[in-house]
Amino acid sequence: MQERNVKRLAVLIDADNVSPAQASEIFKTVSTLGEPIVRRAYGMVNCFSVSGGWNVAQREYGIVSKPQVSNVSGKNVADIALVIDAMEMLYKSSVDGICIVSSDSDFTALAAKIREGGKHVFGVGSKKTPASFRTACTRFFELVQVKKPSKEKTPSGSSVCPRCGGKLEMSHTKSRQVCRSCPSCGGMTAKISTLRKSFAPESLQLVVESAKRHEVSGCICPDCGSSMSIVKVAAGKRQVEIDVCGKCQTVWYDKDEFEALVPTDGVLQATVSAGKAYRRDLVVAVAADLRTGRCKVSDIGALKTVLKKVYFAPNPDVQPIIDALRCQKVISLDKTGKITVLQ
């Protein structure tokens, strides 16, 4: 086969491995080979959140996002989803070639299989990409290394809210603990050490250990940029779900979660939470359907009905999902409850 015959291409992006800042270079490279008729990005849910970066690139370049949720710690479900789609395209799709955008050597066997199956396979990745993946491809294209963007700062030195993209401001909790809060969504962030006056060190250590296992992905850490873990914590009969960074031990509290942690006996119990992760996955799905027109609603009442009957959202989750859609600037409401979908 001659490369000049390649016309129809599938572009499969490992969003956990490649920076969204390189999207322009990726598609500029692909356009020299053919027409990218399939454009998909695979990654954990937080990659496509308002602070994840790929939410902007997917709209700008017509990428279909494929957010994944890890059910067991240590399993890379995004890579597996990419491989499954690539194999389906190899045998069932009319594309002439498949572009794998990643610097991960785990895709070496996939590249070899595609080539053996009679289709071109093009690799697109960074300078650090291992030789095994490079040589398994028909051709490999090296991306120009981009500097990691520094965290956006306000004049007062605060950073960006990982939940809604608002500006974090220096503040204090009701109990006079120093924190940074978001005026837009009411969330706040602080180090886990702020809980030391209320809870035993052993209890806090359990929370940190649960976060390090990273069994359920949360939002992006506003301090170090790592993916946080969702941990369910209980103080007496009160239970809340917080986002904890296992790397720098920063905690993100949604509105009123910090104040809900009222100590009784100084013991803070920690377990992995699936509830909040489920709601976030649903927010991503509903947001995509609203923006693409697959879900059409005119007012808040219709949206609540669709969430219950089409997306099967439990009653307690309906209002939090709507609040998240508003905070993430997916929808806006006027005084009559009419909905406008924001792009």
Side-chain angles (χ1 to χ4, degrees):
M1 290 186 294
Q2 299 295 321
E3 286 184 22
R4 64 174 180 273
N5 295 328
V6 177
K7 298 295 183 182
R8 298 158 59 86
L9 298 175
V11 182
L12 309 182
I13 302 171
D14 181 1
D16 288 329
N17 185 270
V18 179
S19 169
Q22 296 174 305
S24 175
E25 186 183 356
I26 290 169
F27 284 99
K28 183 178 180 180
T29 299
V30 172
S31 65
T32 64
L33 301 170
E35 177 64 27
I37 61 171
V38 177
R39 309 177 185 189
R40 298 179 185 175
Y42 304 78
M44 302 307 290
V45 172
N46 53 279
C47 286
F48 307 101
S49 67
V50 69
S51 56
W54 279 101
N55 65 316
V56 176
Q58 67 181 9
R59 293 197 295 271
E60 185 174 354
Y61 295 97
I63 302 169
V64 177
S65 61
K66 296 287 185 176
Q68 306 295 316
V69 178
S70 181
N71 298 311
V72 180
S73 177
K75 301 297 184 182
N76 197 336
V77 293
D79 285 3
I80 294 173
L82 188 154
V83 171
I84 291 172
D85 281 3
M87 293 304 295
E88 184 177 25
M89 291 175 189
L90 174 60
Y91 295 112
K92 296 183 178 181
S93 174
S94 60
V95 297
D96 302 302
I98 298 176
C99 297
I100 302 174
V101 184
S102 178
S103 303
D104 194 339
S105 62
D106 289 347
F107 293 115
T108 299
L110 173 64
K113 188 65 176 179
I114 294 172
R115 193 185 64 246
E116 292 170 4
K119 291 186 186 293
H120 290 290
V121 54
F122 300 102
V124 181
S126 67
K127 185 177 181 180
K128 66 179 182 181
T129 305
S132 58
F133 179 49
R134 292 171 178 259
T135 55
C137 299
T138 305
R139 283 185 64 189
F140 183 85
F141 298 86
E142 193 173 292
L143 295 171
V144 176
Q145 186 174 1
V146 296
K147 294 183 178 180
K148 291 185 178 180
S150 58
K151 290 182 285 186
E152 185 178 349
K153 301 288 183 179
T154 63
S156 61
S158 58
S159 55
V160 178
C161 172
R163 185 70 72 233
C164 69
K167 303 294 183 181
L168 294 179
E169 301 176 352
M170 296 304 298
S171 182
H172 292 82
T173 67
K174 293 178 182 178
S175 54
R176 304 308 300 165
Q177 297 276 12
V178 176
C179 67
R180 287 178 293 158
S181 62
C182 177
S184 300
C185 67
M188 59 160 278
T189 183
K191 296 294 184 181
I192 198 168
S193 58
T194 58
L195 299 174
R196 286 177 181 169
K197 293 182 179 180
S198 303
F199 299 100
E202 296 81 4
S203 296
L204 300 183
Q205 186 59 34
L206 289 175
V207 174
V208 174
E209 290 175 356
S210 180
K212 287 182 177 179
R213 290 195 296 270
H214 200 68
E215 297 180 18
V216 181
S217 296
C219 60
I220 298 298
C221 177
D223 283 353
C224 71
S226 301
S227 175
M228 304 179 87
S229 302
I230 301 175
V231 181
K232 180 186 290 182
V233 293
K237 294 184 178 180
R238 296 176 180 268
Q239 295 185 359
V240 296
E241 298 171 345
I242 58 177
D243 296 68
V244 185
C245 180
K247 185 176 181 180
C248 70
Q249 299 186 16
T250 295
V251 183
W252 174 263
Y253 306 90
D254 287 328
K255 185 177 181 181
D256 298 328
E257 284 182 347
F258 180 83
E259 305 300 342
L261 292 177
V262 179
T264 53
D265 54 4
V267 176
L268 190 66
Q269 298 177 333
T271 58
V272 174
S273 170
K276 186 180 286 188
Y278 162 77
R279 287 196 297 272
R280 289 178 186 171
D281 292 348
L282 197 52
V283 168
V284 171
V286 174
D289 289 348
L290 286 169
R291 283 173 166 157
T292 58
R294 290 192 295 267
C295 175
K296 297 181 180 180
V297 290
S298 58
D299 54 52
I300 190 66
L303 179 57
K304 289 181 178 179
T305 300
V306 167
L307 288 174
K308 294 176 184 178
K309 295 185 177 181
V310 177
Y311 296 94
F312 305 104
N315 284 332
D317 289 341
V318 171
Q319 192 56 49
I321 290 171
I322 294 175
D323 292 341
L325 291 171
R326 295 181 66 184
C327 282
Q328 294 182 17
K329 296 180 174 57
V330 178
I331 62 172
S332 65
L333 300 175
D334 62 16
K335 294 180 179 180
T336 63
K338 184 179 179 181
I339 289 178
T340 301
V341 178
L342 307 175
Q343 298 296 330

